[in-house]
Amino acid sequence: MTLADRIAAFRAALDEWLRGLYHGMITHPAYEKIEKEAEDAEDAFMLACFPDAFGIPSPVSYYTAELLPYLEDEFEAWERRLWDRESLIERKGQQYHF
C-alpha cells in the first residue's frame, strides 16, 4: 500500500466519522423534532375527524365517517398512540427537557 493510498483511506475514514458526528450532533435532533411536530399535527387532524373514538360527541361525525376508508391504515395506530400517551403537556415538555 502506497502512501497515497493510505492517505486516501484515512481521509475517507475521517470523512465518514465527521459526517456521523455532524448527523448525531446537529441534524438528528432536528429531524426528531420535525417528526414529533408532524405526528402531533396528524393526531390533531385525526382527533378533529374522529372524536367519537374517545367519547367526544361531534355533530359532523356523519360527514367525517366518509374519510374512514382513506384513513383506515392510520386509524388503528393513531388510536393506540393516543391511548398510550400520558398527556400533551408531557409530550411538549420533552422538547424542553422539563
Side-chain angles (χ1 to χ4, degrees):
M1 184 180 251
T2 66
L3 181 61
D5 293 337
R6 291 194 320 203
I7 291 173
F10 175 74
R11 287 186 68 191
L14 182 65
D15 183 50
E16 182 181 349
W17 186 81
L18 287 174
R19 284 181 192 273
L21 181 68
Y22 179 78
H23 176 72
M25 291 180 66
I26 310 251
T27 59
H28 182 68
Y31 288 140
E32 238 176 42
K33 285 183 182 180
I34 290 169
E35 286 173 356
K36 282 185 179 182
E37 286 298 319
E39 192 175 85
D40 288 344
E42 180 183 346
D43 290 348
F45 171 73
M46 293 288 280
L47 185 59
C49 288
F50 306 108
D52 327 346
F54 293 95
I56 302 169
S58 174
V60 295
S61 295
Y62 178 77
Y63 301 107
T64 57
E66 294 175 4
L67 296 173
L68 196 53
Y70 301 106
L71 300 172
E72 69 180 325
D73 297 335
E74 301 168 16
F75 186 80
E76 186 179 337
W78 165 73
E79 194 173 23
R80 190 175 314 115
R81 197 168 52 236
L82 281 190
W83 280 118
D84 291 343
R85 187 182 289 176
E86 284 82 27
S87 72
L88 183 63
I89 295 171
E90 178 183 337
R91 169 86 173 201
K92 292 295 184 185
Q94 289 174 351
Q95 296 178 27
Y96 305 108
H97 306 290
F98 287 144

